[in-house]
Amino acid sequence: QNGLSFLPRASSMSRADPSVARAAAPVQEPGRAAVASAYQRFEPRAYLRNNYAPPRGDLSSPEGVGPWKLRCMAQTFATGEVSGRALIDIGSGPTIYQLLSACAHFEDITMTDFLEVNRQELGLWLREEPGAFDWSPYSQHVCLIEGKGESWREKERLLRARVKRVLPIDVHQPQPLGAATTAPLPADALVSAFCLEAVSPDLTSFQRALSHITTLLRPGGHLLLIGALEESWYLAGEARLAVVPVCEEEVREALVLGGYQVRDLRTYAMPAHLRTGVDDVKGIFFAWAQKRLGVEV
């Protein structure tokens, strides 16, 4: 129906996302092997409860973290500059909210995650199966702030129709999607939320993972990146997962070194009432960056 017969059913490694997704870790290096091992205990439903149900999932206050993330995406896509045929969501995790504003601007969307359990969770929603997580409050909120008169059901229908595949990914590999991927490359845009910092044991690994995913993007293409600021761990059920703490300037430097022009970089300080004990995050960053022309694909 949505071309989702391709949804992977098995993978030798399974892995997750932190606020949206978590990419992967090769087993050669001890630090990344430990990351991959820890993610085997990642529980998508616990992660969704911790971050996308109230209080963090309460979208009624414009000051909340959910409305802030959705607003960053909606405002960036409203510029009309981020569009094209193919978009890849890097480390989707078990979440879809990060694509609600994107789906009107790209006809071919690839979702990805290291963990099979996250890819299965996405499949439930994409196929409208019983037990899928209810993203309708997010869809309704995006329709409200975009102000196009679109119904949330139409928004969700469009997103489901435009997600063409859900693939395994390992951002620590030079070819994150593998050599024989079915995703159209290079992509016109990349989206990634709470992935790179959550699967990297240190800042160097974070920078290298960014360079790996950049190979998937055409010169002049756009990257929209959401991530945690100054976070060192988060919980997803029984899993306690390490995060490399990054600050705003480290994110900016990584993007510039990675061959990007930083178009926008915003930060959000996590208010006390949203510090719920499921992590030690201090804030969130949103970056809109454009791959410089002349940077090799």
Side-chain angles (χ1 to χ4, degrees):
Q1 179 186 356
N2 295 322
L4 293 172
S5 55
F6 49 70
L7 282 174
R9 293 298 177 193
S11 164
S12 57
M13 291 169 86
S14 295
R15 190 280 197 42
D17 121 317
S19 154
V20 155
R22 302 191 155 245
V27 193
Q28 305 87 301
E29 296 182 22
R32 286 184 277 164
V35 173
S37 176
Y39 268 98
Q40 302 310 309
R41 304 178 71 187
F42 184 94
E43 297 176 33
R45 284 306 170 106
Y47 174 77
L48 290 169
R49 278 195 307 274
N50 291 349
N51 294 285
Y52 297 98
R56 288 186 177 178
D58 178 8
L59 305 180
S60 61
S61 165
E63 306 310 312
V65 62
W68 185 84
K69 290 186 292 186
L70 296 175
R71 197 159 58 241
C72 287
M73 285 294 199
Q75 289 172 350
T76 303
F77 282 106
T79 66
E81 290 193 58
V82 185
S83 63
R85 188 176 83 84
L87 176 144
I88 301 173
D89 182 26
I90 305 290
S92 308
T95 71
I96 62 92
Y97 73 90
Q98 66 276 13
L99 296 173
L100 288 166
S101 286
C103 65
H105 302 271
F106 295 88
E107 62 193 46
D108 185 306
I109 296 176
T110 301
M111 300 188 78
T112 67
D113 203 77
F114 183 88
L115 285 181
E116 184 185 357
V117 289
N118 278 343
R119 300 194 303 267
Q120 289 172 340
E121 186 70 40
L122 294 173
L124 293 179
W125 187 85
L126 290 165
R127 295 187 299 260
E128 300 186 73
E129 293 187 5
F133 189 79
D134 179 14
W135 289 104
S136 62
Y138 287 79
S139 308
Q140 291 168 32
H141 191 82
V142 171
C143 289
L144 183 68
I145 60 178
E146 288 181 344
K148 299 176 185 172
E150 182 183 21
S151 77
W152 68 269
R153 287 186 177 86
E154 176 61 18
K155 170 74 76 180
E156 291 193 350
R157 186 205 66 75
L158 182 63
L159 177 55
R160 287 186 173 104
R162 292 195 160 178
V163 173
K164 304 301 185 187
R165 62 199 68 79
V166 178
L167 302 177
I169 191 170
D170 184 340
V171 299
H172 296 305
Q173 300 294 345
Q175 293 180 300
L177 294 173
T181 183
T182 56
L185 294 177
D188 298 299
L190 305 177
V191 167
S192 188
F194 303 98
C195 175
L196 301 184
E197 73 282 3
V199 300
S200 298
D202 52 50
L203 186 59
T204 300
S205 183
F206 172 85
Q207 293 168 332
R208 192 181 302 124
L210 176 62
S211 72
H212 290 161
I213 68 169
T214 300
T215 65
L216 305 174
L217 181 64
R218 68 168 174 82
H222 298 267
L223 167 66
L224 303 185
L225 195 62
I226 296 176
L229 290 171
E230 303 293 351
E231 180 180 48
S232 67
W233 61 270
Y234 76 99
L235 301 177
E238 307 235 331
R240 180 185 169 101
L241 299 148
V243 181
V244 57
V246 296
C247 67
E248 178 182 358
E249 282 314 306
E250 286 168 332
V251 173
R252 185 186 300 276
E253 182 182 17
L255 289 166
V256 172
L257 290 174
Y260 289 93
Q261 175 194 358
V262 178
R263 301 285 303 274
D264 188 12
L265 183 55
R266 313 181 200 181
T267 62
Y268 171 90
M270 191 67 79
H273 76 281
L274 295 183
R275 298 190 184 190
T276 56
V278 299
D279 54 38
D280 65 347
V281 68
K282 306 297 187 298
I284 309 291
F285 69 84
F286 168 80
W288 168 17
Q290 188 169 12
K291 185 173 176 177
R292 292 198 300 269
L293 296 174
V295 175
E296 288 301 315
V297 177

